[in-house]
Amino acid sequence: MDSLTPNVSPLRQRMIEDMRMRKMGGKTQIAYIRAVRRLAAFLKRSPDTADADELRRFQLHMVDTGTSPTTINGTLSGLKFFFDVTLGRAELLVKMQPVPQPRRLPVVLSCEEVARLIAAAPNLKSQAALSVAYGAGLRANEVISLKVTDIDSERMTLRVEQGKGRKDRYAMLSPVLLERLRAWWRVGHAQGKMLPNGWLFPGMDVTDPVTARQFNRAIHAAAEAAHIDKRVSMHTLRHSFATHLLEQKVDIRVIQVLLGHKRLETTALYTHVATEVLRKVISPLETLPPS
């Protein structure tokens, strides 16, 4: 990502180089550049001329214009990098503070809904991909990035390279999931889509993986065909994986490892949606002596 526009100012080029030096992802770089652009539009001049009070007013402007907490905090992250790293003036951000974000419970499908959803996927490749997202609890980008060589049928694991946080980990590979992947491999190989050491889910050009947008279209089509009214995505299957394991009494620390969560608090969110666990809890009202 050498530049974002044909004519890049020296200041922006410096920031881009600072991000490239740290090997920041392309999406992060674009988001950070967009944050500085927002500030420049507010100031109507170069962003490096801002002072602490103007930055404070910029955050108030975002709040007053109804900007979402997610966007505000993302913008602050970009500005922090710009002022701290590129300009070396971190002290200007002292009057800007992240805002609390509402914590919403994830959408979770029942086991029966998951089965219907996967069965309704438009083709075998989509069925296999949705099975990986649910059966191994992988993120959409982790499913997309899988290669045929990441399947270890001896150890019954999937190797996830450079998942979130740029960390490698192993995910579980169940016998049912292995058989579904083998079925897809046989079909894909016969169609000439499977290259040696190539992508497990190749795109139109077999040298490239399928895109997240293609899988999103597939899962939305499957949800409609399966008459599932809930708002679903590939990540819904990951949420369902974690919740169903918790309902099966799998230790939450094991689930944390399988999901690749850094903090146990993140995994603990699923205790709020594990309804089977809640149903088995006996209310103290039931234990009161008869009056």
Side-chain angles (χ1 to χ4, degrees), residues 72-278:
I72 291 175
N73 290 339
T75 301
L76 296 187
S77 295
L79 295 181
K80 183 178 186 302
F81 183 91
F82 176 67
F83 283 97
D84 188 4
V85 178
T86 301
L87 298 183
R89 302 180 65 194
E91 72 279 359
L92 293 178
L93 299 169
V94 68
K95 296 184 179 180
M96 301 186 80
Q97 296 294 327
V99 298
Q101 298 190 52
R103 193 71 178 265
R104 293 185 172 86
L105 294 179
V107 173
V108 173
L109 302 178
S110 68
C111 293
E112 188 267 339
E113 287 174 325
V114 172
R116 281 165 41 207
L117 181 74
I118 295 175
N123 51 54
L124 191 59
K125 178 167 75 172
S126 297
Q127 288 180 354
L130 300 190
S131 295
V132 171
Y134 174 69
L138 301 194
R139 302 175 178 90
N141 285 338
E142 293 171 344
V143 175
I144 291 167
S145 301
L146 286 174
K147 294 184 178 179
V148 175
T149 51
D150 292 328
I151 302 172
D152 189 340
S153 58
E154 293 294 324
R155 299 178 62 204
M156 294 303 287
T157 59
L158 290 171
R159 178 178 172 84
V160 180
E161 290 192 357
Q162 298 297 284
K164 188 173 182 180
R166 295 187 178 181
K167 294 181 180 179
D168 294 348
R169 75 177 193 279
Y170 286 102
M172 62 187 294
L173 175 63
S174 70
V176 171
L177 179 56
L178 177 60
E179 185 51 46
R180 292 185 183 185
L181 291 178
R182 283 174 169 167
W184 157 238
W185 185 90
R186 287 191 291 267
V187 172
H189 183 70
Q191 295 173 346
K193 295 179 179 179
M194 294 296 193
L195 299 179
N197 303 320
W199 303 106
L200 182 57
F201 301 110
M204 296 295 291
D205 183 340
V206 295
T207 61
D208 295 322
V210 69
T211 65
R213 182 173 296 181
Q214 288 173 295
F215 274 152
N216 276 333
R217 285 200 295 263
I219 197 169
H220 292 156
E224 184 176 356
H227 304 291
I228 295 173
D229 296 329
K230 297 174 182 176
R231 187 174 181 178
V232 299
S233 65
M234 290 287 284
H235 217 71
T236 305
L237 293 174
R238 176 175 160 89
H239 292 321
S240 302
F241 164 84
T243 304
H244 295 166
L245 285 183
L246 194 61
E247 292 176 341
Q248 293 170 22
K249 296 188 177 354
V250 175
D251 189 283
I252 194 169
R253 293 174 183 82
V254 175
I255 300 173
Q256 177 190 3
V257 172
L258 292 174
L259 293 174
H261 283 164
K262 184 177 180 180
R263 298 185 304 167
L264 184 61
E265 291 82 357
T266 305
T267 314
L269 172 68
Y270 297 106
T271 60
H272 298 288
V273 290
T275 55
E276 287 298 322
V277 174
L278 295 178

